[in-house]
């Protein structure tokens, strides 16, 4: 998949991706997990996501992307709360 095509395709799911990111950050923040004892763990998560995004166009097809963001996946992700509380 060409980078421009990948960006357009992923752009359709920006809201879901942002909710997943916020949820992951909140989970790690809630348990006070840090990266290198200085940064919030979200810093590490974002670095990994950036590295993955860089190479994704070369390994992604329309078919695999649509499977990642199938109706079932989107429904599940859209129900994810942004803040988590653990009991």
């Amino acid at each position: 998949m060409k980078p421009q095509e990948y960006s357009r395709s992923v752009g359709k799911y920006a809201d879901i991706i942002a909710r997943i990111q916020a949820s992951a950050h909140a989970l790690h923040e809630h348990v006070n997990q840090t990266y290198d004892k200085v940064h919030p763990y979200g810093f590490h998560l974002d670095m990994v996501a950036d590295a993955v995004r860089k190479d994704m166009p070369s390994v992604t097809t329309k078919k695999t992307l649509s499977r990642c963001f199938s109706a079932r996946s989107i429904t599940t992700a859209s129900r994810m709360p942004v803040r988590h509380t653990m009991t």
Side-chain angles (χ1 to χ4, degrees):
M1 181 178 271
K2 294 181 180 177
Q4 298 85 356
E5 183 181 16
Y6 173 79
S7 292
R8 266 193 317 274
S9 297
V10 170
K12 292 189 285 188
Y13 307 109
D15 290 342
I16 298 297
I17 293 168
R19 286 185 63 80
I20 292 168
Q21 179 186 25
S23 183
H25 283 215
L27 277 169
H28 290 281
E29 184 179 324
H30 183 75
V31 296
N32 296 319
Q33 188 173 6
T34 61
Y35 176 73
D36 201 22
K37 299 180 183 178
V38 178
H39 304 287
Y41 200 72
F43 178 81
H44 171 70
L45 297 174
D46 291 345
M47 286 191 319
V48 171
D50 289 342
V52 169
R53 270 193 285 269
K54 189 173 108 179
D55 293 322
M56 283 304 289
S58 63
V59 297
T60 304
T61 66
K62 285 183 182 179
K63 187 175 183 178
T64 57
L65 196 58
S66 66
R67 284 183 179 168
C68 288
F69 293 101
S70 67
R72 181 176 178 190
S73 297
I74 290 173
T75 301
T76 302
S78 66
R79 287 191 212 138
M80 293 172 65
V82 173
R83 288 281 174 200
H84 295 275
T85 56
M86 300 173 89
T87 56

